[in-house]
Amino acid sequence: MLIAEHTLLSRGTTETLCAFVLDGRYENFPAAVVKEAKHHILDVFGAMLGGINEPASKIATAFVRASGGTEEAGVVGAGFRSSVVNAAFVNGISGHALEIEAVGRAPGSDTLTLVAAALSLAEKYKLSGKQVIEYVVLAEEFQGRLGLGAPGG
């Protein structure tokens, strides 16, 4: 135990955060964390659907549609697919368009961008729901920990 504590304390911040992410597994998450992650994902997906007709979303959708791109992931509510980057871009804008993001999370954590990226990547790489939840939990934790360590966090 003393060696483990010493090793953890002797790591730098970046190494500690990276080890946390690399060691994180869905199977090790408490049930309450998995349930909360599912709520976050549904919350963001609802925000995306709610924002698809907002001016910023329409502009981003038109831009991405005109730009083309490899059909890797769906643009929520738009009826077409684009590159994973373009899909995450539009889906993130749509999710933010109504500014109804969940609040009360750790400073610096933005569930909306994480979920938009996770869903697009999951579609491209055919990831399971468990893998999406694992990503969302670890990414939120990582962002939140960085936010808490930042000035004002």
Side-chain angles (χ1 to χ4, degrees):
M1 183 64 134
L2 185 59
I3 293 173
E5 288 176 7
H6 175 71
T7 302
L8 182 63
L9 293 175
S10 68
R11 290 181 179 170
T13 303
T14 302
E15 186 178 359
T16 300
L17 283 170
C18 289
F20 169 78
V21 170
L22 292 173
D23 294 339
R25 297 287 176 266
Y26 178 93
E27 295 76 25
N28 298 330
F29 298 155
V33 168
V34 171
K35 183 177 179 180
E36 186 70 15
K38 290 176 182 179
H39 287 160
H40 291 194
I41 293 165
L42 289 173
D43 181 51
V44 170
F45 192 71
M48 287 178 193
L49 290 173
I52 58 176
N53 290 317
E54 293 299 308
S57 300
K58 288 183 177 184
I59 292 167
T61 299
F63 172 76
V64 166
R65 189 186 303 269
S67 299
T70 306
E71 294 184 2
E72 299 172 321
V75 177
V76 174
F80 72 97
R81 298 166 59 78
S82 189
S83 71
V84 69
V85 171
N86 285 346
F89 168 69
V90 174
N91 294 341
I93 288 175
S94 294
H96 181 69
L98 295 174
E99 297 192 18
I100 56 173
E101 292 91 342
V103 295
R105 307 285 193 275
S109 181
D110 184 0
T111 303
L112 196 145
T113 56
L114 301 175
V115 172
L119 295 177
S120 295
L121 288 166
E123 193 171 352
K124 177 180 178 175
Y125 294 108
K126 298 175 180 23
L127 303 178
S128 70
K130 285 183 177 181
Q131 288 173 302
V132 171
I133 290 168
E134 185 176 272
Y135 167 84
V136 169
V137 168
L138 293 172
E140 279 193 48
E141 283 289 325
F142 189 88
Q143 273 192 345
R145 289 167 190 249
L146 285 177
L148 289 171

